């Protein structure tokens, strides 16, 4: 149970997946979402929680409910193709929920790749789509390599800047090895996703690690409440001396692939994450690649690479060498073993508040019992 061990069994409750799905759907419908898109929100949030990426799971539910209730995104939006040429397409997301846009665009990229070897789709007029890795898995499940990128609200200070002008702009690539094994990289180009700092505050943490965030002037800060109140995240690496300029470059690369290529807002022009409610209009990029277009035996060769990496001699025998996606896989295995999604008590308290606010019956929870290792 590596996922639980790493967090010191920092879980208190277990929730059945269907119970959580039903709760999310009821909340979304209550604020005006149609049932089809509400189901999509549930799939998106549960995907993240099932894999231990709590910053992109139910921790984000209030954001989607806010955007639905204020009508800043369409509760029944339908993405449509604006332009298509060769292996590429440009899509208008119709201001639909990000999960709906992501599902549509990645499935379109897969369709194009099946014919051309690669499918490259950019989209404007989209919304927050949860964990980027979810869409890469769509392609990997079809035997393809999947990439997903999105620009986000400007919460990150570029290196040397005292102003926030970049998002956490995630990069994701998921590639299929043998069986159910995957290389699954899903990373913010800031040091951490903004939601991780929110969770740290919700858990009552006094400080976060170096490189995570900065105060309102862009100076490195460790107290989560200061980072969240007017401050922001730092690019991957943190300050310049620790390589933060590389993270800044990666953030900018995602902006080129998304907002600039798709014809939407970019950089500091995207709406703020909190504060005045306004349309997100995010730009996103989805790519599917058929590895059969290249050297034979891709999945076998990737499996050999993953196995060799995992079998490297670790510095600490209790901490084995891992590949991208291994933590997610071990956390998913944990949820299967305990019979449901696992949560810290602060997350359940957060959901109780949403339940009362929207007058939605709360679901049944059970106490977490660590499985035997």
């Amino acid at each position: 149970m590596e996922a639980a061990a790493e967090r010191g069994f920092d879980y208190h409750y277990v929730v059945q997946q269907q119970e959580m799905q039903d709760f999310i759907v009821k909340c979304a419908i209550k604020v005006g979402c149609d049932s089809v898109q509400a189901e999509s929100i549930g799939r998106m949030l549960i995907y993240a929680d099932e894999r231990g990426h709590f910053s992109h799971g139910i921790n984000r539910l209030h954001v989607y409910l806010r955007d639905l209730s204020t009508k800043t995104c369409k509760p029944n939006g339908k993405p449509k193709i604006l332009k298509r040429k060769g292996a590429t397409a440009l899509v208008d997301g119709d201001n639909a929920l990000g999960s709906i846009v992501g599902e549509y665009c990645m499935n379109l990229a897969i369709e194009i790749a099946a014919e051309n070897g690669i499918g490259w789709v950019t989209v404007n007029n989209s919304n927050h789509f949860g964990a980027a890795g979810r869409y890469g898995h769509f392609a990997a499940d079809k035997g393809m390599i999947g990439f997903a990128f999105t620009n986000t609200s400007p919460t990150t200070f570029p290196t040397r800047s005292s102003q926030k002008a970049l998002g956490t702009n995630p990069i994701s690539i998921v590639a299929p090895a043998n069986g159910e094994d995957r290389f699954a990289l899903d990373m913010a180009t800031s040091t951490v996703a903004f939601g991780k700092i929110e969770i740290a505050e919700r858990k009552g943490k006094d400080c976060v690690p170096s490189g995570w965030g900065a105060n309102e002037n862009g100076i490195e800060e460790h107290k989560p409440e200061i980072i969240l109140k007017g401050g922001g995240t730092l690019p991957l690496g943190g300050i310049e001396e620790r390589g933060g300029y590389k993270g800044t470059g990666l953030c900018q690369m995602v902006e080129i692939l998304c907002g600039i290529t798709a014809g939407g807002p970019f950089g500091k022009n995207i709406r703020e994450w909190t504060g005045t409610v306004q349309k997100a209009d995010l730009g996103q990029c989805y790519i599917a690649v058929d590895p059969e277009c290249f050297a034979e035996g891709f999945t076998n060769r990737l499996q050999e690479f993953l196995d060799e990496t995992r079998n490297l001699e670790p510095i600490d025998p209790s901490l084995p060498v891992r590949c991208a996606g291994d933590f997610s896989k071990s956390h998913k295995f944990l949820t299967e073993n305990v019979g449901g999604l696992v949560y810290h008590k602060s997350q359940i308290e957060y959901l109780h508040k949403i339940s009362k606010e929207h007058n939605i019956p709360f679901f049944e929870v059970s106490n977490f019992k660590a499985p035997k290792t």
Side-chain angles (χ1 to χ4, degrees):
M1 296 299 113
E2 184 183 352
E6 286 194 3
R7 296 174 184 253
F9 295 120
D10 191 20
Y11 308 118
H12 298 86
Y13 298 106
V14 176
V15 179
Q16 296 292 321
Q17 283 198 25
Q18 192 59 53
E19 291 271 10
M20 183 62 79
Q21 175 76 11
D22 291 345
F23 177 76
I24 294 168
V25 169
K26 289 174 183 175
C27 288
I29 291 175
K30 190 69 175 285
V31 295
C33 190
D34 72 28
S35 59
V36 172
Q37 302 210 22
E39 291 281 351
S40 179
I41 296 173
R43 291 193 297 270
M44 172 183 64
L45 299 182
I46 288 174
Y47 165 90
D49 284 349
E50 185 181 33
R51 289 162 175 78
H53 300 309
F54 297 113
S55 60
H56 286 71
I58 55 95
N59 182 59
R60 284 276 171 265
L61 180 57
H62 70 284
V63 175
Y64 305 112
L65 298 181
R66 178 199 68 189
D67 284 356
L68 286 164
S69 62
T70 57
K71 296 181 171 53
T72 53
C73 71
K74 279 191 180 180
N76 58 354
K78 291 180 172 55
K80 55 184 177 291
I81 298 172
L82 296 176
K83 185 187 297 184
R84 185 165 175 176
K85 180 179 181 181
T88 66
L90 173 65
V91 170
D92 174 2
D94 194 33
N95 197 27
L97 291 155
S99 57
I100 288 291
V101 176
E103 290 168 359
Y104 177 88
C105 289
M106 183 51 88
N107 285 329
L108 175 59
I110 292 168
E111 176 189 321
I112 295 173
E115 180 180 351
N116 298 281
I118 184 172
W120 190 307
V121 177
T122 60
V123 59
N124 57 43
N125 202 12
S126 187
N127 284 282
H128 194 276
F129 68 3
R134 175 173 180 246
Y135 307 98
H137 276 284
F138 287 4
D141 290 345
K142 298 290 186 181
M144 297 184 182
I145 306 169
F147 300 81
F149 312 85
T150 182
N151 62 14
T152 65
S153 299
T155 60
T156 301
F157 292 92
T159 301
R160 299 186 179 184
S161 173
S162 63
Q163 293 179 281
K164 290 173 286 189
L166 291 169
T168 57
N169 295 7
I171 292 172
S172 172
I173 170 177
V174 183
N178 291 335
E180 297 298 315
D181 206 359
R182 301 282 186 269
F183 174 87
L185 176 68
D186 182 351
M187 54 170 270
T189 49
S190 53
T191 300
V192 294
F194 197 73
K196 286 193 175 181
I197 301 171
E198 292 176 324
I199 287 177
E201 183 188 45
R202 191 169 294 150
K203 288 184 175 182
K205 302 288 187 183
D206 292 328
C207 62
V208 295
S210 297
W212 279 30
N215 64 20
E216 61 182 4
N217 299 311
I219 306 300
E220 185 173 36
E221 176 59 57
H222 296 89
K223 293 185 180 299
E225 65 271 19
I226 295 177
I227 297 170
L228 296 173
K229 293 177 182 177
T233 51
L234 287 172
L236 182 63
I239 61 175
E240 184 172 6
E241 290 77 7
R242 293 198 291 266
Y245 57 91
K246 297 179 182 179
T248 294
L250 288 172
C251 279
Q252 293 169 329
M253 179 195 77
V254 173
E255 205 61 80
I256 293 170
L257 294 174
C258 297
I260 294 174
T261 301
F266 48 83
K268 66 179 184 179
N269 304 299
I270 301 173
R271 73 165 184 184
E272 293 183 1
W273 180 241
T274 57
T276 305
V277 174
Q278 66 183 94
K279 182 178 173 182
D281 199 6
L282 299 183
Q284 292 158 356
C285 177
Y286 304 85
I287 304 169
V289 179
D290 183 357
E292 293 299 316
C293 293
F294 306 104
E296 292 184 4
F298 175 83
T299 56
N300 288 335
R301 288 158 57 80
L302 176 56
Q303 189 66 60
E304 182 180 353
F305 173 57
L306 296 179
D307 291 343
E308 285 180 350
T309 303
R310 291 166 178 151
N311 289 326
L312 292 171
E313 185 175 342
I315 297 170
D316 181 344
S318 67
L319 298 173
V321 180
R322 298 190 312 199
C323 296
D326 285 357
F327 170 79
S328 297
K329 184 168 64 175
S330 64
H331 191 93
K332 191 170 184 291
F333 186 54
L334 168 66
T335 63
E336 292 169 356
N337 271 266
V338 300
L341 303 165
V342 294
Y343 292 106
H344 185 273
K345 63 181 180 181
S346 63
Q347 293 169 299
I348 297 299
E349 291 167 357
Y350 159 77
L351 290 174
H352 265 296
K353 291 180 182 177
I354 290 178
S355 172
K356 290 179 180 178
E357 180 182 351
H358 297 283
N359 195 26
I360 301 296
F362 204 64
F363 45 80
E364 183 179 344
V365 300
S366 57
N367 292 327
F368 173 79
K369 294 181 180 179
K372 294 180 180 179
T373 57

